[in-house]
Amino acid sequence: MHSGQGDYCVLSSILSRSTRLAATAAALAFMAVPAMAAPATGGPELVIEDNDFLGPGGSDQLSTIPLLFNPHVRVLGFTVVSGDGWENAESAHLRRLLEIIGKTDVPVADGAVYPLVNTRAEMRLHEQQYGAIPWKGAWGGIGSIDTAPDVQPAIGTMKEGAPHTPPAKQDAVQFLIEQVHAHPHEVTIVAAGPLTNLALAIRQDPTFAETAKQLIFMGGMLDTSMMSITGNADFASDFNMIFDPEAAHITLTAPWKAITVVGSVSNDLMLSREYLGQITSRKTPLTTYIGSYYDPLPMWDEITTAIAADPTLVTSAVDARMDIDTSRGPHYGHAFVVPEALAPKGSPMRVMHIVRSIDEKRFRETFAHEAQADSATPAR
């Protein structure tokens, strides 16, 4: 996929498809019951998680827990994309984690190394024109973008040890397409990193999105401008969208049957030192791993995968049209919503289910229980 990525990077016009719109102009009314697709009753929920698995530890890696240790979920595989870190290192950290917890039969498919259009030079120019981007991921983290490499570097020494398990023979795009068509209308795609892999799959196979069951993604931060002033500006940054805005736009205007947005709500819960103590009170290979590489961050990706595994965690949500700004201005890569009454005619903007709150107590209890599960249990 890496060598042929340019074949898919030409951004052609997006085909508009009819969407089922809200019956009222008050499309921003709260709903207590989530509108996302319910889990299948005849068998386990089939899931592929696409993520920028920065490691070791952290929200990216720990997002695997609600999927791997839920008996009602079958993980078809993980696909990796550059974002928080470089794709090759992310893949290695994820494969090493799966070795540690005895889940090596779950495939890991390597994916996109670079965004479709955005570059380090473009991000540097954006910072010069409109102000610093707090977190730059592979292009400098929380440091200076000037010292970051333009190309993916070799993998350095890994604290947890290098993996012995190789990645899947397929690249991420082929894996996604083949699995969705092998299980039509049954596969939930959970995306918790930049959406490059999904955009490439959509460009290569225009039927990909409509053949999946649904998309649940971490991103689409809304109403965070004041948080950047009064709280942590890094946590208010919609990095998954900012790193590859064009991919986000392509993905979110594709004909998915349902799209669930886990954005600002994912800032509400922290992996605190106290909560860490609760999780690590039972010693297993997984809890030892979590304790060894603890990072006090919001549980962004863990909440996203938990909602995919159990949609009843959602206690309130709002349906609205949403898209990502791809104009080269101060809001490049930022999410925006439009009330139904003001939506432009013929717009490709999709109606999405935007999560506003979850059952925090039940999420914490379930996540801790899953994290303490017997890691030696063979993967499904």
Side-chain angles (χ1 to χ4, degrees), residues 14-91:
I14 296 175
L15 298 176
S16 133
R17 298 182 66 92
S18 62
T19 57
R20 291 183 296 174
L21 307 180
T24 172
L28 300 182
F30 286 102
M31 300 187 303
V33 179
M36 69 187 79
T41 56
E45 184 79 359
L46 303 183
V47 173
I48 299 173
E49 182 184 355
D50 183 79
N51 205 343
D52 49 348
F53 292 96
L54 183 67
S59 184
D60 300 309
Q61 298 282 341
L62 302 189
S63 68
T64 61
I65 294 172
L67 302 179
L68 290 173
F69 294 96
N70 186 316
H72 304 294
V73 173
R74 177 186 168 201
V75 181
L76 298 175
F78 298 104
T79 52
V80 187
V81 62
S82 285
D84 283 338
W86 289 103
E87 182 274 336
N88 58 347
E90 294 170 346
S91 173

Side-chain angles (χ1 to χ4, degrees), residues 21-297:
L21 307 180
T24 172
L28 300 182
F30 286 102
M31 300 187 303
V33 179
M36 69 187 79
T41 56
E45 184 79 359
L46 303 183
V47 173
I48 299 173
E49 182 184 355
D50 183 79
N51 205 343
D52 49 348
F53 292 96
L54 183 67
S59 184
D60 300 309
Q61 298 282 341
L62 302 189
S63 68
T64 61
I65 294 172
L67 302 179
L68 290 173
F69 294 96
N70 186 316
H72 304 294
V73 173
R74 177 186 168 201
V75 181
L76 298 175
F78 298 104
T79 52
V80 187
V81 62
S82 285
D84 283 338
W86 289 103
E87 182 274 336
N88 58 347
E90 294 170 346
S91 173
H93 286 298
L94 175 58
R95 285 180 278 122
R96 180 58 184 146
L97 170 61
L98 294 178
E99 290 175 349
I100 290 170
I101 64 176
K103 302 289 186 182
T104 55
D105 62 343
V106 181
V108 175
D110 291 351
V113 176
Y114 306 104
L116 299 184
V117 176
N118 199 19
T119 63
R120 184 173 70 96
E122 291 286 351
M123 186 173 280
R124 181 195 292 112
L125 177 61
H126 189 279
E127 286 195 317
Q128 292 170 349
Q129 293 176 321
Y130 305 112
I133 296 170
W135 174 255
K136 290 171 277 290
W139 289 330
I142 58 173
S144 171
I145 197 170
D146 295 323
T147 59
D150 282 309
V151 297
Q152 178 168 266
I155 302 172
T157 302
M158 296 175 56
K159 298 177 182 178
E160 71 276 38
H164 304 288
T165 308
K169 294 180 180 180
Q170 299 164 298
D171 64 43
V173 171
Q174 289 303 316
F175 182 84
L176 286 160
I177 291 172
E178 290 184 14
Q179 290 297 320
V180 162
H181 283 283
H183 309 279
H185 314 299
E186 295 182 15
V187 180
T188 293
I189 305 296
V190 185
L195 300 179
T196 316
N197 285 336
L198 301 187
L200 292 172
I202 290 163
R203 279 291 186 251
Q204 182 170 335
D205 175 12
T207 69
F208 168 75
E210 63 189 17
T211 307
K213 180 178 180 179
Q214 62 181 331
L215 170 66
I216 300 174
F217 79 99
M218 192 272 130
M221 297 284 187
L222 300 166
D223 305 324
T224 54
S225 295
M226 280 304 297
M227 180 181 175
S228 68
I229 302 297
T230 61
N232 188 321
D234 180 17
F235 297 169
S237 177
D238 202 358
F239 174 76
N240 289 344
M241 307 296 102
I242 292 170
F243 191 75
D244 195 344
E246 286 75 19
H249 172 69
I250 289 171
T251 300
L252 300 182
T253 53
W256 304 91
K257 289 181 171 56
I259 301 177
T260 297
V261 183
V262 185
S264 304
V265 66
S266 62
N267 274 315
D268 294 346
L269 290 177
M270 289 283 293
L271 181 57
S272 65
R273 180 69 64 180
E274 179 183 5
Y275 186 45
L276 174 72
Q278 178 185 342
I279 292 172
T280 58
S281 62
R282 180 171 186 261
K283 296 301 178 185
T284 71
L286 178 54
T287 60
T288 300
Y289 174 90
I290 296 171
S292 298
Y293 306 110
Y294 166 72
D295 207 355
L297 293 171

